Structures are given as C-alpha cells and as structure tokens.
Amino acid sequence: MDSYGPGHRQTAERDASTPSRWGPAPGQLPSSLTELAGPTRGLVDLPLHLAWSGLRTFDLDDDKLLLGMYRIVLATGLREDYLRFLDGGLLVSHWPRLRKMVGRGVRMAWEDAFPPLRPRTGQAAA
C-alpha cells in the first residue's frame, strides 16, 4: 500500500479507455452530432438544474455567451440537455475553443465519440 491509501495504484493505472467520472455517463451522449438540434441564435434560458448560480440567460449571437452556455451544458448536462440546448454545427465550429474550457473527462468523452471533434494534426491536444 502506498501513502495515498488502498486502491490508489489501481486508480492511477486505470486504462485510458475507462470512462472518467468527470465526463458524461455511458449512454448520455447522442448517437450522432446531427441529433443536436438546439437553438443557433437568440436568447436561451437555461433551467436551474444547469445554471443554478449566476447567469441563466445567454445570447447566442454573442460568441462569449454562447461558449459560456455550451461549457455549462457540456459540463453539467444530461442527454436531454444536450439535445435541447446544443447544435451540432455550432459545437463542431466552436470545439477548438470549447475543448479548452471543459474538463478532461468531458473533452475525452466527446472527442472519443465524435471524430469531427478530435484535434487535427498540428492542433494542440491539451
């Protein structure tokens, strides 16, 4: 046993394909990016279960607010939230910036599931 307690070694050595507890649960992601048919313009009010503190209304015509809303939905949403609030085209076009705003578990889950979101050669994989 190391100084971090029992089970630490198994956690640290977990296979890279094992889903992260910080990413979406298995079965929560849509089967295709085309299923994401959320709004692309205008004002969007997120429900309290997603935006419980601070800003709840987002103007999708403002890139900064759009990115903020997508970060919230990606990080805390469930399948129904992805389908209702995300748009596949917007997700793909803004992913190079969004991938830096979400945790590793979220980023890996979405990129593993959807090849168009994977970084291109020469793009940072951070």
Side-chain angles (χ1 to χ4, degrees):
M1 180 168 89
D2 58 28
S3 62
Y4 293 105
H8 177 264
R9 171 169 277 154
Q10 290 82 8
T11 302
E13 294 174 356
R14 176 177 41 205
D15 180 65
S17 65
T18 303
S20 167
R21 67 179 174 172
W22 303 113
Q28 287 298 311
L29 293 179
S31 58
S32 164
L33 291 174
T34 59
E35 284 186 64
L36 302 176
T40 59
R41 301 190 53 107
L43 298 178
V44 174
D45 292 317
L46 290 182
L48 283 173
H49 74 272
L50 291 174
W52 58 87
S53 174
L55 188 62
R56 290 191 51 222
T57 301
F58 297 84
D59 183 352
L60 299 186
D61 296 317
D62 180 325
D63 276 355
K64 191 179 282 189
L65 293 174
L66 179 139
L67 290 170
M69 186 193 90
Y70 270 53
R71 183 192 60 76
I72 290 169
V73 174
L74 289 165
T76 60
L78 299 173
R79 181 180 177 81
E80 299 78 28
D81 301 314
Y82 304 147
L83 300 178
R84 180 176 173 194
F85 295 109
L86 301 180
D87 174 78
L90 287 177
L91 181 66
V92 170
S93 67
H94 289 283
W95 188 253
R97 290 177 60 196
L98 278 167
R99 70 182 312 274
K100 299 173 186 175
M101 299 171 67
V102 296
R104 184 173 187 244
V106 172
R107 181 174 60 245
M108 289 177 60
W110 282 85
E111 289 178 354
D112 287 349
F114 304 109
L117 299 180
R118 294 179 190 150
R120 291 174 189 80
T121 304
Q123 182 178 350

